[in-house]
């Protein structure tokens, strides 16, 4: 309990300091970043003046003309008329509503006055409601463990944004940065959620070994398949909008490791739990029998996990898959496209790392479960087998 309390305070302090640093005003050397234009401001919809249908990009779609009041910027308080659906493609089922706040882009006319058009909806409130629902239901189901898990999520974001990305941008070794950063965030998260136990130690060591293997495989296959890291529009936009010389292959590698990390977390902690629960239920099981029984569960788990990983990437790439079905090109040509090859390498290398994690974690967990009593004075310092289990 003392260790968990100290670790919790440390995580909170680190998150607070990191957020305080990020909230500092930008310096003159800050490069351009992606986002809305500087002349985009919040506005409140007062009334809908006109509705109808217009042709945009060869298709008919609904449009609206609305009266809005600007809530910020040099024209704050001014009423303007904006259009939504006359100059940009819009979903048919998303309409402006009086009383809601939106983002509008304002520009000066050559003959005087200003014009504006609807840029986007403001999603901060709806995202906050979703976040609160997630937190409330997590706590209702998992209690204090959910609170620790949420803190672990926050710490993970801090490590990714505050440690991994800046060091890759600085040109440091992407394999070393990604592996160490991923290991730090996952190790802290595991200890925060599951406590100082033998099961957690096994999961952390299994995670580190699997990360090293995944990082080496990713480095080799990214080089072997001649991937450049420029296979997505986001990568091209990043290069164009920043003043950094970015190692795009390193960024691709970091994204691959982080993408596999969440699934790896589930896999290693579950496998360690299976071993310790089997040993706790039947202490007479010897090493070979314990390993075999645990691997039976592990094989089923890894098969389902790899399928989950493939489906997750396929779901994210669904628009791309639709384009493939309409293109009529040969499959070997489509798979040669870099943005497609990126996803193939990401899926297969991540799956190989997950597959390697199962026997490694199982071997380690079996050894610790059966022989931890031989550690002597060191044994009590490593904590119990798991929550609710004692040596």
């Amino acid at each position: 309990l003392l260790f968990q309390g100290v670790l919790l305070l440390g995580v909170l302090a680190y998150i607070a300091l990191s957020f305080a640093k990020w909230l500092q005003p930008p310096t003159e050397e800050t490069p351009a970043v992606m986002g809305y234009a500087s002349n985009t401001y919040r506005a409140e919809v007062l009334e809908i003046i006109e509705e109808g249908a217009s042709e945009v990009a060869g298709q008919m779609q609904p449009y609206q003309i609305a009266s809005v009041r600007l809530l910020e910027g040099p024209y704050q308080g001014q009423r303007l008329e904006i259009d939504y659906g006359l100059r940009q493609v819009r979903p048919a089922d998303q309409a402006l509503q009086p009383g809601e706040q939106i983002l509008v882009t304002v520009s000066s006319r050559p003959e005087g006055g200003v014009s504006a058009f609807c840029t986007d909806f403001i999603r901060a409130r709806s995202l906050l409601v979703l976040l609160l629902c997630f937190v409330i239901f997590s706590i209702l189901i998992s209690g204090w463990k959910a609170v620790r898990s949420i803190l672990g999520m926050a710490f993970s974001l801090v490590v990714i944004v505050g440690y991994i990305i800046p060091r890759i941008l600085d040109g440091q070794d992407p394999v070393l940065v990604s592996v160490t950063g991923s290991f730090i965030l996952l190790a802290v998260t595991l200890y925060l959620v599951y406590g100082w136990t033998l099961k957690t130690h096994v999961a952390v060591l299994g995670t580190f070994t699997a990360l090293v293997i995944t990082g080496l495989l990713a480095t080799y296959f990214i080089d072997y398949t001649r991937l450049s890291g420029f296979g997505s529009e986001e990568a091209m936009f990043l290069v164009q909008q920043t003043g950094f010389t970015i190692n795009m292959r390193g960024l691709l590698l970091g994204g691959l490791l982080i993408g596999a990390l969440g699934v790896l977390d589930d896999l290693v902690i579950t496998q360690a739990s299976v071993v310790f629960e089997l040993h706790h239920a039947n202490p007479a099981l010897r090493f070979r029998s314990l390993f075999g029984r645990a691997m039976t569960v592990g094989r089923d788990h890894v098969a389902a996990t790899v399928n989950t990983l493939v489906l997750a990437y396929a779901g994210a790439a669904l628009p791309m898959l639709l384009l493939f079905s309409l293109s009529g090109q040969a499959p070997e040509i489509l798979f040669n496209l870099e943005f497609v090859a990126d996803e193939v390498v990401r899926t297969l290398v991540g799956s190989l790392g997950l597959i390697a994690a199962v026997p490694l974690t199982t071997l380690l967990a079996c050894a610790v479960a059966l022989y931890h009593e031989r550690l002597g004075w060191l044994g009590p310092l490593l904590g119990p087998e798991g929550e609710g289990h004692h040596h």
Side-chain angles (χ1 to χ4, degrees):
L1 291 177
L2 178 61
F3 173 81
Q4 293 183 24
V6 172
L7 183 60
L8 179 59
L9 290 176
V11 170
L12 291 174
Y14 186 84
I15 293 173
L17 290 174
S18 300
F19 283 148
K21 179 180 179 181
W22 296 340
L23 291 175
Q24 292 177 355
T27 61
E28 295 181 358
E29 291 77 16
T30 302
V33 294
M34 63 182 299
Y36 299 108
S38 59
N39 58 334
T40 300
Y41 308 106
R42 290 185 304 114
E44 180 185 2
V45 179
L46 299 177
E47 61 176 326
I48 306 301
I49 299 174
E50 181 183 335
E51 293 182 299
S54 65
E55 184 176 342
V56 178
Q59 293 187 350
M60 296 298 295
Q61 67 175 22
Y63 76 88
Q64 293 176 298
I65 296 178
S67 173
V68 302
R69 181 176 67 248
L70 295 175
L71 302 177
E72 58 187 4
Y75 306 102
Q76 182 176 355
Q78 186 171 337
R79 292 181 60 148
L80 298 173
E81 287 188 6
I82 65 163
D83 67 83
Y84 176 50
L86 286 177
R87 286 180 274 186
Q88 77 267 55
V89 177
R90 55 155 284 188
D93 58 348
Q94 290 188 7
L96 300 177
Q97 302 292 335
E100 74 174 327
Q101 292 187 9
I102 60 173
L103 291 175
V104 298
T105 299
V106 183
S107 57
S108 301
R109 293 173 177 169
E111 66 275 11
V114 294
S115 63
F117 66 91
C118 179
T119 303
D120 208 345
F121 293 91
I122 295 179
R123 304 179 177 90
R125 180 178 299 176
S126 54
L127 291 175
L128 180 60
V129 170
L130 177 59
L131 176 62
L132 290 175
C133 290
F134 167 76
V135 171
I136 291 171
F137 281 100
S138 296
I139 294 175
L140 286 176
I141 298 298
S142 301
W144 170 239
K145 185 173 287 188
V147 176
R148 291 181 287 173
S149 179
I150 293 169
L151 289 173
M153 289 170 53
F155 179 79
S156 299
L157 293 175
V158 169
V159 172
I160 292 170
V161 178
Y163 176 83
I164 295 176
I165 292 178
R167 280 160 179 76
I168 291 178
L169 293 178
D170 287 341
Q172 297 184 23
D173 184 1
V175 179
L176 182 61
V177 170
S178 299
V179 170
T180 55
S182 300
F183 175 70
I184 290 170
L185 73 87
L186 193 54
V188 172
T189 301
L190 287 173
Y191 282 119
L192 190 63
V193 175
Y194 300 103
W196 185 262
T197 65
L198 293 176
K199 178 180 72 175
T200 313
H201 303 330
V202 169
V204 169
L205 291 175
T207 297
F208 177 73
T209 307
L211 278 175
V212 171
I213 293 173
T214 306
L216 293 175
L217 287 172
T219 302
Y220 174 78
F221 281 104
I222 286 175
D223 182 66
Y224 184 59
T225 55
R226 302 292 185 92
L227 296 179
S228 66
F230 292 92
S232 66
E233 293 182 2
E234 293 84 357
M236 299 299 296
F237 188 84
L238 181 64
V239 173
Q240 295 170 2
Q241 295 294 319
T242 64
F244 293 105
T245 301
I246 302 173
N247 183 345
M248 297 306 299
R249 298 179 78 185
L251 205 58
L252 174 63
L253 176 83
L256 190 153
L257 288 176
I258 294 170
L261 199 59
V263 185
L264 187 62
D265 176 8
D266 170 66
L267 200 63
V268 294
I269 197 67
T270 300
Q271 201 61 20
S273 295
V274 166
V275 171
F276 281 101
E277 288 300 323
L278 285 173
H279 173 66
H280 185 71
N282 186 1
L285 288 175
R286 308 310 302 161
F287 191 99
R288 185 171 181 176
S289 179
L290 182 60
F291 178 81
R293 290 171 183 261
M295 281 300 298
T296 300
V297 178
R299 291 187 190 97
D300 292 339
H301 193 192
V302 76
T305 302
V306 169
N307 187 51
T308 300
L309 193 64
V310 172
L311 290 177
Y313 286 131
L318 192 57
M320 179 181 69
L321 297 176
L322 291 175
L323 285 175
F324 286 175
S325 65
L326 298 174
S327 67
Q329 292 188 353
E332 61 270 18
I333 299 298
L334 294 174
F335 279 104
N336 195 67
L337 295 171
E338 181 159 354
F339 68 93
V340 180
D342 278 355
E343 298 302 325
V344 173
V345 171
R346 193 188 308 271
T347 303
L348 296 182
V349 169
S351 299
L352 285 172
L354 297 176
I355 292 170
V358 171
L360 290 171
T361 305
T362 305
L363 279 171
L364 185 60
C366 290
V368 172
L370 291 172
Y371 308 125
H372 65 269
E373 294 180 354
R374 300 181 183 181
L375 296 174
W377 63 269
L378 187 60
L381 298 179
L382 297 177
E385 293 184 7
E387 294 183 345
H389 296 166
H390 298 278
H391 296 183

